[in-house]
Amino acid sequence: MNKAILRVLLIEDDPVDHQLIKLSLSKSASAFELVWAQTLESGLLKFGENTFDVVLTDLSLPDSFGLETVKKIRDYNRDVPIVVLTTLNDNDVRLIALSVGAQDYFLKDEASPHMLERAIRHAIQRQESVVENQRLLTEVETSRELLLKQKVLLKKKNRRLRKLNQTAHRFVDNVSHEFRTPLTVIKDYVSLVREGLVGEINKEQGQMLDIASIRTDELNNMVDDMLDVSKLEAGLLGAWRRPCQLPDIIECVCSPLAKKAAVKGIHFEADADPGLPAIYCDSEKVGRVIVNLVTNAMKFCGNPGSVRLWTEERAEQGEIIIGVSDNGPGIDEEGLAEIFQRFKQLKTQLDSSTKGFGLGLNIAKELVDLNFGEMSVESQVGTGTTFSFSVPLNNPSSVMTRYLDRTQRLTSSESVVALVFARIDEETADTDKEDMDAFFNFLLRTNDLLFRTGSCEWLFVLSIPCLELSEFVTRLENEWEKTNRNRPFGPLPGYQLNIEGKWKINADSEEIHRHFCRITQQPTVSTSH
């Protein structure tokens, strides 16, 4: 798949800092094109010559100083993301910089390739959210006077905007800056020492460093869980569901889990049948659930500890069960009733080093639900505990049934399900077909579903308020145009859209399923679960 090149304008008068930033960007996983300006005036002039995805700027320039630099860039271009690069580690200045138009505040001595790339990505995402919020607010104010029937929709949008703003500020600012930066530094330095790059280490020191590395990974997982909570609450956590092979997913996640078990002296066994049929899911999220469950089992297993990952096909239910069993102390009935509650920590005899935020199992359950599965737990005090979850087989009709059941459970009575068919030209190059698949999946929100019905055909299944279908079409057009502006090897192929229909989710689920089967040429027999 082709990587889009991100155009970066660096406004920095120090040639040494320019070279350091240029070097860090060259070592990043993403592709960047860097344009350098040594004064604010010359930087603003370059806006007339080029289009940029993000601006990196120092606060001390020959012709501008302090936060006035950010204000002038924002006055000149209200949409471009701005990242402040500075040597001043001052939280008050950081907050003021964010309030006057910057999307991030980044210390120069932390400009590692990974951290700089992450700051740029977050700045772009946050600015896109700001632009989207402003657009929605404008539309809301106009609609309030023109259409009284949109009153309910306007209230929902206002609530969603407040939630998005709170989520963006609380998690992007606090979590990214307060958690990510020190964790990355700790992880990098531990790795350097562990690999012997700064001097030979003995066996005991190596074991201690392995433990430190594992603890850092656990903290990183906690941060991922917190970020997923914010995306779930905002309805922005999408899923790239497609046919997958479960043994491949398990093989991908088991190597670090086996290392963790070895460090902790735990017997870890992964028993997955290589002949299992394909499943339909977001493989990354299934992997996240497995990691969370195995990590949790390793925290609470016995001494000596034993953890087993296993699978079981249930063909009649159209699903595969993935389970994690341990030989720990077990969970009583009161604990089982609370185990999946967010921010809930069960009382145990274990030391405080095993505790986290109480998000892991709750997020795991949410991710399972996002993949149209169910999670369960069985435990016997004094013997051990088994957590298991289901993943649907690669059967579009069965998956659609699960989607409709989930949508009825989670959405309001005013919501509808719309089927939107997308097609591109059969002569399109294979790489462009895959890029279109990635692009269409990028558009999905938490309650959306996408099926690739052919190499050049896709079917969107959208759960939306009845008045927002036109918004999806507009958003698709805008994102397609924006992607093409940044695509180095030519535009994405053109597409044709056909709105097959929309139905009330609570009244017409059988009708929706029949139309779905007709479009995808699937048998209409659904699978119970």
Side-chain angles (χ1 to χ4, degrees):
M1 184 181 299
N2 298 325
K3 291 184 178 179
I5 298 176
L6 295 178
R7 293 180 54 79
V8 180
L9 173 62
L10 173 64
I11 307 178
E12 168 62 66
D13 62 322
D14 190 333
V16 175
D17 285 340
H18 162 239
Q19 290 299 322
L20 290 174
I21 297 300
K22 183 178 180 180
L23 179 61
S24 289
L25 291 179
S26 69
K27 294 181 178 180
S28 299
S30 300
F32 294 94
E33 178 184 342
L34 184 67
V35 177
W36 180 36
Q38 292 184 277
T39 65
L40 177 62
E41 181 180 3
S42 62
L44 295 180
L45 287 175
K46 292 183 182 298
F47 271 109
E49 305 168 1
N50 302 276
T51 299
F52 296 98
D53 297 292
V54 66
V55 173
L56 308 180
T57 183
D58 193 2
L59 293 180
S60 299
L61 299 170
D63 56 344
S64 182
F65 181 80
L67 297 176
E68 283 298 316
T69 302
V70 178
K71 293 180 181 179
K72 290 176 181 178
I73 296 174
R74 179 57 66 226
D75 290 341
Y76 190 86
N77 189 309
R78 66 174 186 171
D79 294 331
V80 67
I82 302 172
V83 177
V84 172
L85 288 173
T86 180
T87 58
L88 181 61
N89 189 4
D90 188 314
N91 192 54
D92 291 337
V93 175
R94 179 179 72 85
L95 293 175
I96 296 174
L98 296 176
S99 70
V100 298
Q103 278 66 53
D104 211 338
Y105 185 95
F106 197 78
L107 298 180
K108 291 181 179 179
D109 59 4
E110 296 177 352
S112 66
H114 172 73
M115 294 303 298
L116 185 57
E117 179 184 10
R118 185 175 182 83
I120 290 174
R121 291 288 185 186
H122 278 180
I124 292 173
Q125 292 171 2
R126 187 173 178 183
Q127 181 61 16
E128 288 176 348
S129 178
V130 170
V131 172
E132 175 71 3
N133 290 346
Q134 292 173 344
R135 186 189 68 79
L136 290 174
L137 281 172
T138 301
E139 181 179 325
V140 165
E141 293 302 323
T142 302
S143 300
R144 193 191 304 273
E145 298 177 0
L146 298 177
L147 298 173
L148 294 177
K149 291 183 180 181
Q150 291 186 334
K151 184 176 180 180
V152 174
L153 178 61
L154 293 176
K155 290 181 178 179
K156 289 184 178 180
K157 286 186 176 181
N158 286 332
R159 288 197 297 269
R160 182 186 175 201
L161 289 173
R162 287 194 295 269
K163 187 179 295 183
L164 284 171
N165 285 328
Q166 292 168 359
T167 299
H169 287 286
R170 184 170 63 250
F171 283 89
V172 174
D173 293 345
N174 295 340
V175 175
S176 296
H177 289 284
E178 304 302 331
F179 283 43
R180 287 293 190 190
T181 300
L183 284 175
T184 301
V185 173
I186 293 170
K187 180 73 173 177
D188 290 343
Y189 276 97
V190 168
S191 297
L192 289 173
V193 177
R194 181 66 180 90
E195 294 171 6
L197 298 180
V198 292
E200 186 177 352
I201 61 173
N202 59 41
K203 181 178 180 180
E204 184 178 2
Q205 290 169 335
Q207 291 173 342
M208 291 181 178
L209 290 170
D210 285 338
I211 293 173
S213 180
I214 288 172
R215 292 299 190 196
T216 305
D217 289 337
E218 290 175 351
L219 286 174
N220 268 317
N221 288 337
M222 291 180 191
V223 174
D224 288 339
D225 290 342
M226 294 176 68
L227 291 171
D228 279 350
V229 166
S230 70
K231 293 177 182 177
L232 280 166
E233 290 178 346
L236 298 178
L237 184 62
W240 192 340
R241 307 180 190 92
R242 48 188 166 176
C244 303
Q245 296 296 331
L246 182 56
D248 294 341
I249 300 173
I250 292 177
E251 181 181 0
C252 182
V253 301
C254 271
S255 179
L257 292 174
K259 180 180 179 181
K260 179 181 295 187
V263 170
K264 294 188 174 185
I266 297 171
H267 174 71
F268 173 57
E269 177 186 1
D271 183 13
D273 181 359
L276 289 172
I279 55 178
Y280 197 83
C281 66
D282 183 319
S283 60
E284 186 272 336
K285 290 177 174 55
V286 170
R288 279 277 307 280
V289 175
I290 293 174
V291 169
N292 276 7
L293 294 184
V294 173
T295 300
N296 188 72
M298 290 182 181
K299 287 182 181 181
F300 299 102
C301 63
N303 187 14
S306 177
V307 176
R308 177 172 171 260
L309 171 64
W310 52 269
T311 60
E312 175 188 336
E313 180 184 356
R314 294 181 180 175
E316 291 185 1
Q317 287 77 29
E319 62 189 16
I320 288 178
I321 302 297
I322 306 167
V324 176
S325 302
D326 64 59
N327 65 339
I331 307 170
D332 58 25
E333 291 187 5
E334 181 181 354
L336 290 175
E338 300 174 345
I339 193 70
F340 294 115
Q341 293 182 20
R342 188 175 295 177
F343 303 113
K344 186 67 177 181
Q345 290 280 318
L346 299 185
K347 297 179 181 179
T348 72
Q349 300 299 318
L350 301 174
D351 61 64
S352 60
S353 67
T354 63
K355 293 186 178 296
F357 296 134
L359 286 173
L361 290 176
N362 176 268
I363 288 297
K365 190 173 187 297
E366 296 276 10
L367 295 181
V368 168
D369 183 63
L370 199 62
N371 273 318
F372 313 131
E374 295 180 355
M375 178 172 283
S376 61
V377 56
E378 297 179 0
S379 186
Q380 185 174 349
V381 176
T383 301
T385 303
T386 293
F387 286 90
S388 61
F389 66 98
S390 59
V391 185
L393 295 176
N394 182 28
N395 182 320
S397 178
S398 175
V399 171
M400 186 62 179
T401 297
R402 291 170 180 257
Y403 168 82
L404 293 173
D405 289 344
R406 179 181 185 272
T407 304
Q408 284 182 318
R409 173 167 49 87
L410 297 179
T411 59
S412 66
S413 58
E414 292 87 7
S415 293
V416 300
V417 168
L419 301 181
V420 180
F421 192 71
R423 179 185 290 107
I424 61 175
D425 192 276
E426 292 284 349
E427 302 301 321
T428 302
D430 289 342
T431 55
D432 286 340
K433 293 176 184 177
E434 297 307 312
D435 282 357
M436 283 300 288
D437 186 50
F439 169 72
F440 284 148
N441 275 280
F442 168 77
L443 295 171
L444 300 182
R445 301 285 171 85
T446 301
N447 294 324
D448 298 337
L449 179 60
L450 179 67
F451 287 94
R452 190 171 184 177
T453 57
S455 64
C456 299
E457 297 175 345
W458 291 262
L459 180 64
F460 288 93
V461 186
L462 308 174
S463 173
I464 51 179
C466 59
L467 296 175
E468 289 191 359
L469 182 55
S470 60
E471 285 192 4
F472 168 78
V473 176
T474 301
R475 180 161 61 90
L476 174 57
E477 294 172 352
N478 292 338
E479 291 293 341
W480 185 82
E481 293 176 356
K482 182 167 64 176
T483 300
N484 284 339
R485 287 198 298 268
N486 301 318
R487 199 164 184 262
F489 302 107
L492 288 170
Y495 61 87
Q496 295 176 335
L497 278 188
N498 184 48
I499 299 175
E500 301 290 333
K502 57 183 180 180
W503 301 266
K504 292 182 179 180
I505 180 60
N506 291 329
D508 302 320
S509 59
E510 292 185 4
E511 185 71 14
I512 298 170
H513 194 275
R514 280 196 296 271
H515 278 271
F516 168 82
C517 292
R518 175 184 58 80
I519 297 169
T520 59
Q521 298 182 348
Q522 291 290 318
T524 58
V525 178
S526 61
T527 304
S528 61
H529 59 281

